[in-house]
Amino acid sequence: MKMLTIVALISTLATSAFAHSSVDTTTPENGATVDEVPSEISFKFTDDIRLTKVSMIHQEAHTVTLDLGGQTSFGRVFALPFHSMGEGTYRIEWRGLGADGHAMQGEFTFTVD
Amino acid sequence: MPDIWGIGAILSKLMLYVGIGGATGLLIIRVAFSDLVTPLGDKMRVQIALLAGLALAGSVLGYMLRGGALTGGADGMTDPEMLGLLWQTPVGDVLVYRVVGTVLIIAGVFMPLIGQWIALAGGMIALWSFAQIGHLPELEITGARLLLLLHLLGIAFWIGILGPLRALSRQPEYLSSAAMLGHRFGQAASVIVPALIVAGLLMAWMLLGDMRVLMTTGYGQTLLIKIALVGVVLTLATANKLRFVPAMQAGDDKAARHLARSIEIETAVILMVLVATATLTSVLTLPN
């Protein structure tokens, strides 16, 4: 019980610092509103990473796992083909492995209006 | 709030800390105070093997959980591609250190003669794994890894004394042995504890750079919690050294019962320190 208490306490205090995320820029940018659904999305990281999973959530209702295709090596820039699901808000969740062995994750959103 | 993989990473790291720290600590105590802990020989051997087994399980579980974190699902824990990816990184190297180290502990502890030295070597290998990856080794500051290893050895020594000292204190027929063990540990601790504190502060300075982030970041706040808990442990240890152990040396068996109770509380607080440390090293990012 004491253990759970302290884990909960630490978790509460440290909310803002969790998840190793080092994404530098994305296209579309986080929070952007664009006219048309992009044909691809891209990530630029500050350090080498190997993407392991990228999911697209449309309107917080439909989730599609994006095909990582030939992304089989560590790198800093990645572009993935993107499938249109029409207008609305898209949330992109990504996970990856840093070259130093850290599991990394993050997300960004954009709106098609 | 960390996700389920983050919580799993904290728990598996805790298994490693308790397992490797406890097993190596008991091995050190068995060598350093062999004349006093002889009555606990068989029990300590089993405890060492169980703690090493816990560490081995924590190593494998932690590795699999990292695989799960890569996909965000349980499938990643057994996905050969994810586990193979991890194997190519320092995480794979560390798994080898930990498996080899814990297996040597388990094998060595049941061997006669040189077995204890094999087990001790295994403990050192397992401890050294913590100096291979993590925030401090990644700073690539000269001597940082060695400093971390010495810090871990000191902590293992401290954790290692808890069980044997409590066990002897609870048996009236071993009162004099318990008093002598407490006294000799206190003598060693008067050198080791200040060194541990200096090493801890030095590593905190290396990691944070600017002490103002102690208050403004999750990493800093968690470190402050850890330091406060260490303060509680130091207070208890001081009471043990200055009050209970001298009384036991004077033949007071009531003091021995108080010491055993104090050690139980100290163990619980040390577990909290280890949870805070596991959180710092598993899921929190450095402020800078």
Side-chain angles (χ1 to χ4, degrees), chain B residues 143-239:
Chain B
R145 289 174 193 235
L146 193 59
L147 187 67
L148 178 58
L149 179 66
L150 292 174
H151 187 69
L152 295 173
L153 269 173
I155 293 165
F157 181 62
W158 193 330
I159 293 175
I161 195 69
L162 298 172
L165 189 52
R166 176 179 171 273
L168 289 176
S169 300
R170 284 162 59 92
Q171 300 178 58
E173 64 270 33
Y174 294 124
L175 177 65
S176 61
S177 294
M180 183 53 71
L181 185 61
H183 175 66
R184 282 171 55 186
F185 175 76
Q187 285 179 318
S190 61
V191 176
I192 291 169
V193 171
L196 268 177
I197 293 170
V198 170
L201 292 175
L202 201 56
M203 289 190 293
W205 178 73
M206 285 178 185
L207 289 168
L208 299 178
D210 182 351
M211 290 302 156
R212 281 173 296 187
V213 299
L214 280 173
M215 300 302 294
T216 57
T217 65
Y219 191 97
Q221 290 160 356
T222 309
L223 188 57
L224 279 180
I225 291 173
K226 177 180 172 179
I227 292 169
L229 291 168
V230 170
V232 174
V233 174
L234 287 174
T235 306
L236 288 168
T238 305

XYZ file of all heavy atoms in Angstrom, chain B residues 143-239:
720
model
N 34.850 9.340 -15.120
C 34.706 8.895 -13.731
C 33.270 8.739 -13.270
O 33.043 8.211 -12.180
N 32.306 9.172 -14.074
C 30.903 9.121 -13.642
C 30.437 7.677 -13.426
O 29.745 7.379 -12.456
C 30.010 9.822 -14.651
N 30.859 6.796 -14.335
C 30.434 5.391 -14.206
C 31.034 4.752 -12.962
O 30.363 4.008 -12.247
C 30.873 4.598 -15.441
C 30.103 4.949 -16.688
C 30.688 4.250 -17.903
N 30.140 4.826 -19.117
C 29.526 4.122 -20.068
N 29.395 2.841 -19.948
N 29.061 4.713 -21.141
N 32.311 5.060 -12.708
C 32.969 4.504 -11.529
C 32.327 5.046 -10.253
O 32.103 4.304 -9.290
C 34.464 4.854 -11.563
C 35.351 4.103 -10.578
C 35.282 2.592 -10.801
C 36.795 4.583 -10.678
N 32.010 6.326 -10.284
C 31.353 6.960 -9.131
C 30.008 6.284 -8.858
O 29.663 5.986 -7.709
C 31.145 8.453 -9.422
C 30.626 9.306 -8.272
C 31.665 9.404 -7.159
C 30.273 10.710 -8.767
N 29.273 6.011 -9.939
C 27.969 5.351 -9.796
C 28.151 3.948 -9.219
O 27.396 3.525 -8.333
C 27.259 5.303 -11.156
C 25.898 4.606 -11.189
C 24.919 5.248 -10.216
C 25.309 4.644 -12.606
N 29.153 3.219 -9.708
C 29.397 1.858 -9.204
C 29.725 1.887 -7.713
O 29.204 1.065 -6.936
C 30.536 1.199 -9.988
C 30.890 -0.230 -9.539
C 29.740 -1.190 -9.814
C 32.158 -0.731 -10.208
N 30.577 2.823 -7.301
C 30.932 2.928 -5.884
C 29.699 3.279 -5.049
O 29.505 2.754 -3.946
C 32.030 3.980 -5.687
C 33.396 3.598 -6.277
C 34.383 4.761 -6.164
C 33.962 2.365 -5.597
N 28.870 4.170 -5.581
C 27.616 4.546 -4.916
C 26.734 3.305 -4.729
O 26.199 3.067 -3.640
C 26.912 5.600 -5.784
C 25.697 6.203 -5.169
N 25.732 7.036 -4.085
C 24.385 6.109 -5.497
C 24.519 7.420 -3.763
N 23.671 6.870 -4.614
N 26.638 2.504 -5.783
C 25.801 1.297 -5.732
C 26.361 0.257 -4.770
O 25.609 -0.426 -4.069
C 25.661 0.693 -7.140
C 24.923 1.559 -8.168
C 25.011 0.938 -9.547
C 23.469 1.731 -7.764
N 27.701 0.147 -4.740
C 28.328 -0.803 -3.807
C 28.029 -0.413 -2.363
O 27.728 -1.270 -1.522
C 29.846 -0.817 -4.030
C 30.375 -1.832 -5.041
C 31.866 -1.597 -5.283
C 30.156 -3.254 -4.541
N 28.102 0.886 -2.092
C 27.802 1.384 -0.742
C 26.354 1.100 -0.362
O 26.066 0.657 0.758
N 25.458 1.310 -1.314
C 24.030 1.052 -1.048
C 23.797 -0.448 -0.834
O 23.046 -0.849 0.065
C 23.170 1.587 -2.209
C 23.250 3.116 -2.235
C 21.719 1.135 -2.076
C 22.752 3.736 -3.504
N 24.448 -1.268 -1.669
C 24.298 -2.727 -1.526
C 24.766 -3.177 -0.145
O 24.116 -4.002 0.506
C 25.094 -3.440 -2.623
N 25.894 -2.617 0.308
C 26.429 -2.941 1.637
C 25.391 -2.599 2.710
O 25.139 -3.381 3.633
C 27.722 -2.146 1.841
C 28.404 -2.392 3.155
C 28.883 -3.653 3.491
C 28.601 -1.351 4.056
C 29.517 -3.873 4.710
C 29.239 -1.562 5.269
C 29.693 -2.828 5.599
N 24.775 -1.454 2.559
C 23.772 -0.996 3.533
C 22.539 -1.924 3.510
O 22.062 -2.385 4.545
C 23.363 0.445 3.198
C 22.581 1.126 4.279
C 21.741 0.559 5.192
C 22.586 2.521 4.571
N 21.216 1.513 6.015
C 21.721 2.734 5.661
C 23.223 3.625 4.007
C 21.477 3.989 6.188
C 22.978 4.869 4.542
C 22.127 5.057 5.621
N 22.043 -2.191 2.292
C 20.866 -3.071 2.177
C 21.194 -4.459 2.722
O 20.373 -5.098 3.382
C 20.409 -3.172 0.695
C 19.864 -1.809 0.216
C 19.354 -4.255 0.517
C 19.506 -1.779 -1.259
N 22.417 -4.895 2.468
C 22.825 -6.246 2.864
C 22.827 -6.479 4.358
O 22.608 -7.606 4.826
N 23.066 -5.432 5.143
C 23.159 -5.611 6.596
C 21.778 -5.770 7.232
O 21.650 -6.342 8.325
C 23.904 -4.417 7.250
C 24.339 -4.754 8.694
C 23.020 -3.172 7.299
C 25.405 -5.780 8.798
N 20.746 -5.270 6.572
C 19.434 -5.183 7.217
C 18.904 -6.547 7.678
O 18.514 -6.702 8.835
C 18.430 -4.519 6.262
C 18.751 -3.066 5.858
C 17.795 -2.588 4.769
C 18.690 -2.143 7.058
N 18.900 -7.509 6.746
C 18.345 -8.832 7.057
C 19.108 -9.545 8.163
O 18.519 -9.956 9.180
N 20.439 -9.719 8.003
C 21.204 -10.435 9.042
C 21.143 -9.754 10.410
O 20.988 -10.436 11.429
C 22.640 -10.406 8.487
C 22.480 -10.278 7.012
C 21.261 -9.433 6.814
N 21.221 -8.420 10.438
C 21.209 -7.722 11.730
C 19.846 -7.879 12.408
O 19.765 -8.088 13.624
C 21.540 -6.234 11.516
C 21.781 -5.402 12.777
C 22.819 -6.052 13.690
C 22.215 -3.979 12.424
N 18.793 -7.823 11.617
C 17.449 -8.012 12.182
C 17.298 -9.439 12.703
O 16.796 -9.664 13.809
C 16.398 -7.724 11.124
C 14.973 -7.996 11.583
C 13.957 -7.676 10.503
N 12.629 -8.123 10.876
C 12.151 -9.351 10.656
N 12.903 -10.251 10.057
N 10.927 -9.665 11.028
N 17.742 -10.407 11.882
C 17.580 -11.818 12.268
C 18.321 -12.127 13.570
O 17.773 -12.790 14.466
C 18.077 -12.728 11.145
N 19.556 -11.642 13.698
C 20.332 -11.908 14.913
C 19.732 -11.177 16.117
O 19.734 -11.697 17.238
C 21.792 -11.479 14.713
C 22.638 -12.351 13.768
C 24.030 -11.751 13.583
C 22.769 -13.778 14.295
N 19.209 -9.955 15.875
C 18.644 -9.165 16.981
C 17.401 -9.813 17.573
O 17.064 -9.585 18.729
C 18.283 -7.756 16.498
O 19.424 -7.109 16.028
N 16.721 -10.601 16.762
C 15.467 -11.215 17.229
C 15.714 -12.509 18.016
O 14.769 -13.098 18.515
C 14.561 -11.494 16.023
C 13.895 -10.212 15.493
C 13.380 -10.409 14.082
N 12.423 -11.481 13.973
C 11.112 -11.347 14.081
N 10.605 -10.161 14.293
N 10.305 -12.372 13.955
N 16.981 -12.936 18.050
C 17.274 -14.174 18.779
C 18.156 -13.849 19.993
O 19.336 -13.518 19.832
C 17.991 -15.159 17.855
C 17.142 -15.523 16.633
C 17.858 -16.456 15.676
O 18.262 -17.536 16.054
N 18.021 -16.023 14.435
N 17.589 -13.952 21.209
C 18.325 -13.568 22.426
C 19.686 -14.260 22.555
O 20.638 -13.678 23.069
C 17.378 -13.995 23.552
C 16.023 -13.998 22.927
C 16.215 -14.388 21.513
N 19.786 -15.499 22.073
C 21.060 -16.210 22.233
C 22.181 -15.607 21.381
O 23.353 -15.895 21.598
C 20.896 -17.704 21.907
C 20.529 -18.044 20.483
C 19.023 -18.107 20.231
O 18.287 -17.337 20.884
O 18.594 -18.895 19.372
N 21.817 -14.790 20.404
C 22.834 -14.158 19.557
C 22.951 -12.657 19.841
O 23.397 -11.893 18.989
C 22.501 -14.377 18.072
C 22.573 -15.827 17.652
C 21.478 -16.455 17.068
C 23.739 -16.565 17.844
C 21.534 -17.795 16.691
C 23.806 -17.904 17.474
C 22.699 -18.512 16.898
O 22.775 -19.829 16.534
N 22.539 -12.238 21.030
C 22.553 -10.809 21.355
C 23.945 -10.197 21.188
O 24.103 -9.122 20.583
C 22.053 -10.597 22.791
C 22.081 -9.143 23.278
C 21.123 -8.274 22.472
C 21.717 -9.056 24.761
N 24.967 -10.892 21.695
C 26.320 -10.320 21.611
C 26.796 -10.250 20.159
O 27.449 -9.296 19.761
C 27.298 -11.127 22.458
O 27.347 -12.445 21.990
N 26.435 -11.273 19.353
C 26.813 -11.242 17.926
C 26.104 -10.095 17.218
O 26.707 -9.386 16.406
C 26.433 -12.557 17.241
O 27.183 -13.616 17.740
N 24.824 -9.922 17.525
C 24.061 -8.832 16.910
C 24.654 -7.482 17.298
O 24.805 -6.595 16.453
C 22.596 -8.913 17.346
N 25.011 -7.348 18.583
C 25.594 -6.083 19.042
C 26.915 -5.811 18.341
O 27.182 -4.685 17.896
C 25.798 -6.137 20.557
N 27.735 -6.844 18.207
C 29.035 -6.671 17.545
C 28.845 -6.371 16.052
O 29.545 -5.526 15.492
C 29.872 -7.951 17.736
C 31.273 -7.880 17.161
S 32.214 -6.436 17.730
C 32.504 -6.869 19.438
N 27.885 -7.061 15.423
C 27.617 -6.803 13.997
C 27.159 -5.355 13.805
O 27.633 -4.667 12.899
C 26.545 -7.774 13.479
C 26.227 -7.711 11.984
C 27.463 -8.042 11.144
C 25.091 -8.678 11.619
N 26.243 -4.916 14.674
C 25.770 -3.539 14.591
C 26.895 -2.545 14.822
O 27.008 -1.533 14.118
N 27.773 -2.860 15.761
C 28.893 -1.974 16.075
C 29.869 -1.877 14.901
O 30.257 -0.778 14.489
C 29.609 -2.502 17.322
C 30.847 -1.734 17.663
N 30.816 -0.403 18.060
C 32.165 -2.091 17.650
C 32.043 0.017 18.284
N 32.881 -0.988 18.028
N 30.233 -3.046 14.351
C 31.211 -3.046 13.249
C 30.619 -2.448 11.982
O 31.315 -1.768 11.223
C 31.734 -4.471 13.011
C 32.786 -4.822 14.079
C 33.209 -6.268 14.079
N 33.697 -6.747 12.795
C 34.014 -8.023 12.569
N 33.922 -8.916 13.536
N 34.423 -8.407 11.383
N 29.337 -2.688 11.761
C 28.700 -2.042 10.606
C 28.684 -0.517 10.810
O 28.950 0.247 9.880
C 27.269 -2.541 10.403
C 26.546 -1.812 9.298
C 26.818 -2.089 7.969
C 25.624 -0.813 9.582
C 26.177 -1.393 6.945
C 24.977 -0.119 8.579
C 25.253 -0.415 7.253
N 28.397 -0.096 12.029
C 28.381 1.337 12.331
C 29.729 1.977 12.072
O 29.804 3.100 11.559
N 30.791 1.248 12.412
C 32.141 1.775 12.158
C 32.370 1.942 10.653
O 32.878 2.977 10.205
C 33.189 0.823 12.731
C 33.314 0.894 14.250
C 34.350 -0.092 14.778
O 34.426 -1.240 14.323
N 35.127 0.354 15.756
N 31.992 0.906 9.896
C 32.164 0.984 8.434
C 31.269 2.073 7.857
O 31.686 2.839 6.969
C 31.827 -0.373 7.803
N 30.044 2.171 8.379
C 29.091 3.154 7.849
C 29.547 4.589 8.086
O 29.225 5.481 7.306
C 27.716 2.934 8.475
N 30.324 4.806 9.168
C 30.770 6.166 9.442
C 31.708 6.669 8.344
O 31.913 7.868 8.203
C 31.459 6.243 10.810
O 32.588 5.403 10.824
N 32.266 5.754 7.568
C 33.084 6.145 6.411
C 32.239 6.086 5.139
O 32.279 6.997 4.305
C 34.306 5.195 6.265
C 35.089 5.536 5.005
C 35.180 5.286 7.496
N 31.461 4.997 5.016
C 30.722 4.753 3.773
C 29.578 5.753 3.578
O 29.361 6.246 2.469
C 30.186 3.298 3.750
C 31.367 2.333 3.607
C 29.182 3.088 2.634
C 31.012 0.886 3.834
N 28.852 6.058 4.649
C 27.681 6.933 4.501
C 28.058 8.340 4.035
O 27.448 8.858 3.081
C 26.841 6.958 5.798
C 25.761 8.033 5.726
C 26.204 5.598 6.024
N 29.076 8.989 4.648
C 29.463 10.302 4.117
C 29.890 10.219 2.644
O 29.566 11.104 1.853
C 30.636 10.718 5.010
C 30.433 9.973 6.279
C 29.825 8.674 5.878
N 30.591 9.112 2.291
C 31.005 8.939 0.892
C 29.790 8.788 -0.014
O 29.753 9.334 -1.131
C 31.921 7.723 0.769
N 28.776 8.051 0.475
C 27.542 7.878 -0.300
C 26.850 9.226 -0.528
O 26.371 9.514 -1.629
C 26.566 6.976 0.469
C 26.600 5.479 0.211
C 25.613 4.781 1.123
C 26.255 5.200 -1.245
N 26.809 10.032 0.525
C 26.137 11.333 0.420
C 26.884 12.232 -0.566
O 26.276 12.858 -1.442
C 26.041 12.003 1.809
C 25.103 11.187 2.711
C 25.561 13.440 1.697
C 25.106 11.609 4.161
N 28.220 12.262 -0.441
C 29.018 13.097 -1.349
C 28.828 12.624 -2.792
O 28.609 13.434 -3.707
C 30.515 13.061 -0.947
C 31.373 13.716 -2.021
C 30.707 13.748 0.394
N 28.899 11.296 -2.996
C 28.735 10.751 -4.355
C 27.340 11.080 -4.890
O 27.195 11.472 -6.058
C 28.949 9.242 -4.339
N 26.320 10.961 -4.048
C 24.952 11.254 -4.478
C 24.785 12.709 -4.871
O 24.189 13.021 -5.911
N 25.339 13.607 -4.058
C 25.220 15.041 -4.368
C 25.993 15.385 -5.638
O 25.533 16.174 -6.467
C 25.731 15.877 -3.187
C 24.867 15.817 -1.919
C 25.524 16.592 -0.782
C 23.471 16.378 -2.188
N 27.169 14.758 -5.781
C 27.996 15.002 -6.972
C 27.258 14.545 -8.237
O 27.218 15.260 -9.251
C 29.315 14.238 -6.818
C 30.513 14.694 -7.651
C 30.816 16.161 -7.399
C 31.742 13.847 -7.313
N 26.614 13.382 -8.155
C 25.876 12.873 -9.320
C 24.654 13.746 -9.608
O 24.337 13.999 -10.775
C 25.464 11.414 -9.083
C 26.655 10.465 -9.136
S 26.193 8.712 -9.141
C 25.517 8.529 -7.524
N 23.995 14.224 -8.555
C 22.838 15.108 -8.759
C 23.274 16.388 -9.459
O 22.598 16.884 -10.370
C 22.194 15.439 -7.415
N 24.451 16.896 -9.056
C 24.963 18.119 -9.686
C 25.318 17.867 -11.157
O 25.030 18.676 -12.033
C 26.191 18.616 -8.908
C 26.805 19.832 -9.520
C 26.316 21.104 -9.513
C 28.019 19.874 -10.273
N 27.154 21.936 -10.204
C 28.215 21.218 -10.679
C 28.985 18.922 -10.635
C 29.322 21.617 -11.433
C 30.078 19.320 -11.384
C 30.236 20.650 -11.768
N 25.911 16.694 -11.430
C 26.248 16.339 -12.821
C 24.979 16.272 -13.674
O 24.944 16.720 -14.816
C 26.926 14.960 -12.871
C 28.358 14.920 -12.405
S 28.929 13.207 -12.491
C 30.552 13.358 -11.774
N 23.917 15.690 -13.094
C 22.686 15.470 -13.861
C 21.884 16.751 -14.035
O 21.295 16.984 -15.094
C 21.805 14.425 -13.154
C 22.318 12.982 -13.185
C 21.527 12.121 -12.221
C 22.219 12.411 -14.594
N 21.848 17.581 -12.998
C 20.953 18.745 -13.036
C 21.666 20.025 -13.460
O 21.079 20.863 -14.142
C 20.297 18.954 -11.665
C 19.433 17.801 -11.149
C 18.898 18.119 -9.767
C 18.284 17.510 -12.105
N 22.897 20.167 -13.038
C 23.623 21.399 -13.394
C 23.143 22.578 -12.574
O 23.879 23.152 -11.799
N 21.890 22.910 -12.732
C 21.320 24.064 -12.032
C 20.334 23.559 -10.973
O 19.341 22.915 -11.302
C 20.585 24.943 -13.057
C 19.992 26.190 -12.423
O 20.002 26.296 -11.171
O 19.510 27.051 -13.188
N 20.623 23.833 -9.720
C 19.808 23.286 -8.630
C 18.403 23.900 -8.568
O 17.541 23.396 -7.858
C 20.518 23.466 -7.281
C 21.732 22.573 -7.134
S 21.307 20.808 -7.303
C 22.854 20.084 -7.817
N 18.185 24.982 -9.311
C 16.836 25.581 -9.301
C 15.796 24.631 -9.899
O 14.611 24.700 -9.560
C 16.836 26.910 -10.072
C 17.403 28.061 -9.266
C 17.546 29.290 -10.122
N 18.514 29.080 -11.201
C 18.940 30.036 -12.030
N 18.476 31.263 -11.915
N 19.820 29.769 -12.966
N 16.240 23.728 -10.789
C 15.291 22.799 -11.417
C 14.753 21.767 -10.420
O 13.809 21.049 -10.723
C 15.898 22.078 -12.642
C 16.304 23.070 -13.714
C 17.080 21.214 -12.246
N 15.373 21.706 -9.236
C 14.853 20.806 -8.199
C 13.404 21.136 -7.859
O 12.608 20.263 -7.545
C 15.699 20.917 -6.918
C 17.018 20.144 -6.886
C 17.800 20.506 -5.634
C 16.770 18.640 -6.918
N 13.074 22.398 -7.903
C 11.734 22.822 -7.527
C 10.780 22.913 -8.727
O 9.569 22.825 -8.568
C 11.781 24.196 -6.844
C 12.620 24.226 -5.572
S 12.047 23.050 -4.341
C 10.465 23.740 -3.930
N 11.344 23.106 -9.901
C 10.492 23.464 -11.041
C 10.201 22.317 -12.009
O 9.435 22.498 -12.951
C 11.142 24.619 -11.833
O 12.454 24.195 -12.233
C 11.250 25.873 -10.977
N 10.847 21.174 -11.811
C 10.623 20.072 -12.755
C 10.208 18.798 -12.009
O 10.491 18.646 -10.817
C 11.909 19.743 -13.552
O 12.895 19.256 -12.632
C 12.451 20.970 -14.261
N 9.551 17.907 -12.741
C 9.143 16.632 -12.159
C 10.341 15.826 -11.702
O 10.318 15.185 -10.647
N 11.424 15.869 -12.498
C 12.641 15.131 -12.140
C 13.203 15.666 -10.822
O 13.535 14.908 -9.910
C 13.683 15.275 -13.260
C 14.856 14.340 -13.103
C 14.897 13.130 -13.785
C 15.929 14.651 -12.258
C 15.969 12.256 -13.639
C 16.997 13.783 -12.101
C 17.010 12.600 -12.802
O 18.069 11.738 -12.640
N 13.272 17.006 -10.747
C 13.813 17.634 -9.543
C 12.971 17.351 -8.317
O 13.487 17.045 -7.235
N 11.651 17.409 -8.471
C 10.752 17.166 -7.338
C 10.867 15.720 -6.847
O 10.861 15.451 -5.641
C 9.308 17.477 -7.743
C 9.068 18.961 -7.936
C 7.842 19.242 -8.788
O 7.205 18.326 -9.301
N 7.510 20.507 -8.944
N 10.977 14.793 -7.793
C 11.123 13.388 -7.405
C 12.457 13.169 -6.693
O 12.539 12.409 -5.715
C 11.016 12.480 -8.649
O 9.830 12.826 -9.361
C 10.960 11.014 -8.265
N 13.485 13.851 -7.185
C 14.790 13.751 -6.519
C 14.714 14.304 -5.096
O 15.309 13.744 -4.166
C 15.844 14.510 -7.339
C 17.304 14.354 -6.892
C 17.734 12.894 -6.877
C 18.232 15.148 -7.812
N 13.958 15.384 -4.918
C 13.790 15.954 -3.574
C 13.086 14.961 -2.637
O 13.450 14.832 -1.467
C 12.984 17.254 -3.638
C 13.753 18.515 -4.039
C 12.810 19.717 -4.064
C 14.906 18.785 -3.077
N 12.070 14.263 -3.180
C 11.375 13.239 -2.379
C 12.380 12.165 -1.962
O 12.424 11.735 -0.806
C 10.218 12.605 -3.187
C 9.101 13.625 -3.396
C 9.675 11.367 -2.474
C 7.998 13.138 -4.312
N 13.215 11.762 -2.922
C 14.215 10.724 -2.632
C 15.160 11.211 -1.527
O 15.457 10.470 -0.578
C 14.993 10.376 -3.906
C 16.097 9.366 -3.667
C 16.858 9.043 -4.931
C 18.083 8.183 -4.592
N 18.858 7.814 -5.781
N 15.626 12.452 -1.638
C 16.565 12.986 -0.641
C 15.905 13.049 0.742
O 16.523 12.716 1.757
C 17.070 14.383 -1.077
C 17.963 14.241 -2.321
C 17.846 15.066 0.045
C 18.295 15.558 -3.005
N 14.631 13.436 0.767
C 13.908 13.501 2.050
C 13.804 12.108 2.670
O 13.999 11.929 3.885
C 12.521 14.098 1.837
N 13.506 11.104 1.838
C 13.404 9.730 2.339
C 14.754 9.227 2.840
O 14.836 8.535 3.865
C 12.867 8.810 1.233
C 11.394 9.024 0.843
C 11.060 8.271 -0.450
C 10.471 8.545 1.964
N 15.826 9.587 2.106
C 17.175 9.205 2.560
C 17.459 9.849 3.913
O 18.072 9.229 4.792
C 18.246 9.612 1.510
C 19.653 9.448 2.077
C 18.098 8.764 0.245
N 16.971 11.069 4.110
C 17.124 11.742 5.400
C 16.462 10.947 6.523
O 17.019 10.817 7.625
N 15.285 10.380 6.239
C 14.595 9.554 7.239
C 15.430 8.306 7.563
O 15.600 7.932 8.731
C 13.189 9.136 6.730
C 12.534 8.169 7.700
C 12.317 10.363 6.523
N 15.980 7.680 6.504
C 16.799 6.475 6.705
C 18.024 6.809 7.561
O 18.382 6.066 8.484
C 17.246 5.890 5.335
C 18.207 4.727 5.550
C 16.049 5.419 4.539
N 18.651 7.945 7.261
C 19.843 8.345 8.014
C 19.501 8.589 9.487
O 20.280 8.241 10.382
C 20.452 9.616 7.405
C 21.182 9.428 6.069
C 21.601 10.781 5.500
C 22.421 8.552 6.267
N 18.338 9.170 9.726
C 17.907 9.424 11.102
C 17.723 8.111 11.856
O 18.181 7.957 13.002
C 16.584 10.215 11.102
O 16.763 11.391 10.313
C 16.178 10.614 12.512
N 17.057 7.156 11.215
C 16.858 5.849 11.837
C 18.196 5.157 12.097
O 18.422 4.580 13.170
C 15.982 4.967 10.931
C 14.505 5.337 10.849
C 13.834 4.587 9.700
C 13.799 4.986 12.161
N 19.084 5.235 11.084
C 20.385 4.570 11.215
C 21.203 5.202 12.343
O 21.914 4.494 13.074
C 21.149 4.657 9.894
N 21.083 6.505 12.486
C 21.805 7.190 13.567
C 21.288 6.732 14.928
O 22.073 6.483 15.855
C 21.639 8.726 13.427
O 22.072 9.099 12.113
C 22.466 9.469 14.460
N 19.957 6.605 15.038
C 19.368 6.123 16.297
C 19.852 4.709 16.600
O 20.187 4.384 17.747
C 17.843 6.152 16.203
